[in-house]
Amino acid sequence: MALLSRKDSRLILDPLADNNPITIQVLGICSALAITAQLKASIVMALSVMGVLAIGNVVISLLRNVIPGKIRIIAQLVIVAALVIVVDQVLKAYSYELSKQLSVFVGLIITNCIIMGRFEAFALANGPWRSFLDGIGNAAGYGIILVIVGFFRELLGSGTLLGYKVLGDPIEKTGLYAIGYEDNGFMLLSPMALIVIGIIIWVQRSRNKALVEAE
Amino acid sequence: MAKFTDKNSYTILFAVIMVLVVGSLLAGVAQGLSGRIAENQRFEKQQNILYAMGVNTNEGTSDVSFIPATEVEPAFHKYITHQLVIQGDKVTEDPEAYLIDIKKEEHMAKEDPNYVRRLPLFVGEKDGNTLYIIPMRGKGLWDAIWGFVSVDTDFVVHGVYFDHAGETPGLGANIKERYFMDDFQGEEIMSGDVFKGIDVAKGNNDPTNKRKDDQRVDALAGATITGDGVTAMIKKDVGLYIPYLKKLKNESQKTEVPNAVQDTVEPTDSIQ
């Protein structure tokens, strides 16, 4: 017996590619531009969004029949803000190092449009288990793009991956630097994240013509 | 038929309950974890001070590697021999000087011209050298930057530690990368008898930082304002300690703890 029904597994698999929150729904772009200069920050952000989105989706889903429609956006904001603060405080108490890496990005999690988008579009209309899977799937789809962008920006911008020098030493002129390679400082600037995301969107739509909007 | 959740009275009641529940939850979490968080922050400060004086586990790695939090307290008491507080002409010893909030002190001195700010100074011993570790705080591009610098009795930098609240990852945030901090080791902060600090300089034609008497280290590409902030922070805060350190140097042909300290200090049991 499969762990998840076909319908449930689509909640996780669809956002990874054909319904990706960044490349297809064009959500969460701001944080993807801001924090992808390093692969480590991209991974930490992806995991944090996954935690907040999955739990937030479940909470909203449980409350979906009692949240007044007039203040539902405020209620969603309060819940996501509270969750982020709780996560941050728990990390500060029990995993101080990780909380320090996260600190810059906590505000960005609260303002991440994917979170509000999934609360509004899915959790308000579905049960807690399916909302949980939807949260995991969408955060994973968001995380994949963040990791791809972070990979190329750190590799081409700093010559490192997760802080390790993989292209050689730019000062001692070893590895690729010995044959004249130079780091591309533009890769560390936010506009280059937009260009890398644009390239990913281009590649994805070239491979799957069904994603291209009819003119 | 209208749903019961559409009523104004229900909306107001829901909002009130939501605020109370979320507020209580956050207050409870903050209250429950505050002790642990404060302890972690205390250990972090001790780790940073020790890092600046070269007590770390950097060997064999290219990253910043602190003494583990579980071992930092005994290490701090082992290596930091004296914690001093300089307040005007008065120098006293305080076993909790490392907890002094220098941001608050700076603010109070700015607000009240009569207030003489307290300057914490840590005296450490490592490999037979006496080191003075000085806390600093300044402004980066987006937010605060801070750190510690340790100098020996000849005003040569033994090590530094920098941190920031919100500099750009990959650019200004690199002030807390080891390759940048290591460049400060061996730099002289004085030119003859004049305090110069250390300039984070663009295009200083010394990228491997071999020259140690030029008061300059190589800047970080794309992080001009953060680098300028580091330069200004060192000049502003280390400069405050120079008169006292010069006085110590003049007096300390005797190598041990300065007379000025001994004159004014009541030794306490907690100081090793």
Side-chain angles (χ1 to χ4, degrees), chain A residues 135-182:
Chain A
I136 296 286
N138 277 278
Y142 167 79
I144 284 174
I145 302 299
L146 248 62
V147 167
I148 294 172
V149 178
F151 176 88
F152 285 111
R153 288 184 72 193
E154 184 175 345
L155 182 69
L156 302 177
S158 309
T160 59
L161 283 176
L162 293 171
Y164 293 100
K165 291 174 184 159
V166 291
L167 300 183
D169 191 317
I171 307 265
E172 304 293 335
K173 297 287 178 201
T174 59
L176 279 185
Y177 300 97
I179 55 172
Y181 177 82
E182 293 284 343

Side-chain angles (χ1 to χ4, degrees), chain B:
Chain B
M1 193 178 73
K3 284 199 299 184
F4 72 99
T5 56
D6 290 339
K7 285 183 187 166
N8 286 342
S9 54
Y10 177 81
T11 302
I12 292 167
L13 185 68
F14 183 90
V16 169
I17 293 173
M18 180 178 69
V19 168
L20 287 176
V21 169
V22 172
S24 310
L25 173 80
L26 292 182
V29 169
Q31 186 65 29
L33 298 176
S34 63
R36 250 193 117 90
I37 293 173
E39 191 177 59
N40 285 336
Q41 286 167 341
R42 201 159 55 82
F43 290 159
E44 182 197 12
K45 221 164 179 185
Q46 291 179 339
Q47 283 173 321
N48 295 350
I49 292 169
L50 289 176
Y51 187 92
M53 66 176 287
V55 180
N56 49 51
T57 52
N58 274 351
E59 208 165 312
T61 69
S62 58
D63 290 335
V64 169
S65 190
F66 297 110
I67 292 260
T70 47
E71 298 165 23
V72 71
E73 198 133 50
F76 188 75
H77 291 303
K78 179 181 163 196
Y79 288 102
I80 300 296
T81 52
H82 295 272
Q83 294 186 56
L84 310 178
V85 180
I86 304 167
Q87 196 166 21
D89 295 333
K90 207 172 102 190
V91 182
T92 51
E93 195 147 2
D94 178 351
E96 293 199 334
Y98 74 104
L99 295 176
I100 289 175
D101 184 344
I102 60 170
K103 179 187 174 189
K104 210 167 155 188
E105 291 293 320
E106 196 174 1
H107 180 72
M108 283 161 70
K110 205 181 274 178
E111 292 290 303
D112 177 5
N114 296 322
Y115 181 75
V116 183
R117 67 181 276 192
R118 296 182 300 158
L119 300 171
L121 174 68
F122 313 102
V123 185
E125 290 285 340
K126 185 170 178 270
D127 304 330
N129 293 324
T130 299
L131 300 169
Y132 300 101
I133 303 110
I134 299 167
M136 309 172 288
R137 189 176 175 90
K139 288 178 194 158
L141 170 61
W142 302 113
D143 210 325
I145 54 175
W146 61 89
F148 295 90
V149 56
S150 72
V151 294
D152 65 16
T153 46
D154 293 323
F155 300 104
V156 173
V157 174
H158 191 81
V160 296
Y161 179 73
F162 299 125
D163 205 343
H164 64 92
E167 299 307 290
T168 316
L171 299 172
N174 286 355
I175 59 167
K176 64 181 293 188
E177 292 293 326
R178 190 169 149 197
Y179 70 87
F180 178 67
M181 295 196 276
D182 283 357
D183 275 357
F184 287 75
Q185 287 172 7
E187 288 285 336
E188 295 169 13
I189 58 170
M190 308 286 279
S191 175
D193 206 30
V194 181
F195 171 64
K196 293 277 186 187
I198 299 171
D199 276 341
V200 177
K202 284 202 289 185
N204 74 351
N205 298 321
D206 184 20
T208 49
N209 210 41
K210 296 261 189 318
R211 283 197 304 275
K212 294 296 182 186
D213 56 356
D214 60 352
Q215 286 88 38
R216 304 177 100 188
V217 298
D218 205 36
L220 295 162
T224 307
I225 296 176
T226 311
D228 289 350
V230 171
T231 303
M233 173 173 78
I234 294 173
K235 283 204 169 83
K236 172 175 72 77
D237 281 359
V238 178
L240 297 171
Y241 292 81
I242 294 299
Y244 179 69
L245 292 179
K246 272 187 181 174
K247 189 176 155 196
L248 286 187
K249 193 177 180 187
N250 291 338
E251 288 174 358
S252 70
Q253 305 313 332
K254 319 153 197 174
T255 48
E256 291 178 20
V257 183
N259 282 341
V261 174
Q262 290 173 334
D263 289 343
T264 52
V265 166
E266 293 276 352
T268 62
D269 290 336
S270 62
I271 295 168
Q272 308 287 310

Side-chain angles (χ1 to χ4, degrees), chain A:
Chain A
M1 193 177 74
L3 188 64
L4 296 174
S5 70
R6 197 162 158 220
K7 210 171 160 188
D8 284 350
S9 59
R10 285 182 69 86
L11 289 174
I12 294 197
L13 297 177
D14 276 0
L16 300 185
D18 291 350
N19 196 20
N20 189 284
I22 293 184
T23 61
I24 307 298
Q25 299 172 37
V26 200
L27 295 174
I29 296 281
C30 323
S31 59
L33 303 187
I35 55 95
T36 48
Q38 287 174 321
L39 183 56
K40 190 175 172 183
S42 307
I43 294 170
V44 170
M45 182 68 167
L47 292 176
S48 313
V49 168
M50 187 174 283
V52 170
L53 182 52
I55 298 170
N57 254 5
V58 170
V59 174
I60 292 288
S61 174
L62 288 170
L63 297 176
R64 68 189 185 281
N65 295 324
V66 293
I67 294 177
K70 288 174 194 162
I71 59 163
R72 69 184 194 287
I73 299 288
I74 295 170
Q76 290 163 13
L77 269 175
V78 168
I79 287 166
V80 72
L83 273 175
V84 169
I85 292 168
V86 169
V87 168
D88 185 49
Q89 292 285 304
V90 170
L91 284 175
K92 270 188 182 148
Y94 295 102
S95 182
Y96 194 68
E97 277 304 303
L98 188 60
S99 81
K100 287 202 73 188
Q101 290 168 24
L102 260 175
S103 61
V104 182
F105 312 127
V106 168
L108 289 170
I109 295 174
I110 295 173
T111 59
N112 193 316
C113 359
I114 295 174
I115 292 178
M116 293 300 288
R118 295 324 292 170
F119 285 178
E120 188 72 3
F122 197 90
L124 278 177
N126 289 279
W129 172 239
R130 298 197 76 220
S131 297
F132 176 76
L133 295 178
D134 180 77
I136 296 286
N138 277 278
Y142 167 79
I144 284 174
I145 302 299
L146 248 62
V147 167
I148 294 172
V149 178
F151 176 88
F152 285 111
R153 288 184 72 193
E154 184 175 345
L155 182 69
L156 302 177
S158 309
T160 59
L161 283 176
L162 293 171
Y164 293 100
K165 291 174 184 159
V166 291
L167 300 183
D169 191 317
I171 307 265
E172 304 293 335
K173 297 287 178 201
T174 59
L176 279 185
Y177 300 97
I179 55 172
Y181 177 82
E182 293 284 343
D183 288 333
N184 184 349
F186 279 128
M187 289 303 288
L188 297 174
L189 302 177
S190 294
M192 286 309 292
L194 194 61
I195 290 172
V196 176
I197 290 173
I199 292 170
I200 295 171
I201 292 174
W202 175 44
V203 170
Q204 192 180 15
R205 290 177 190 217
S206 304
R207 291 167 60 91
N208 184 356
K209 297 290 181 196
L211 298 176
V212 181
E213 294 90 349
E215 288 190 24

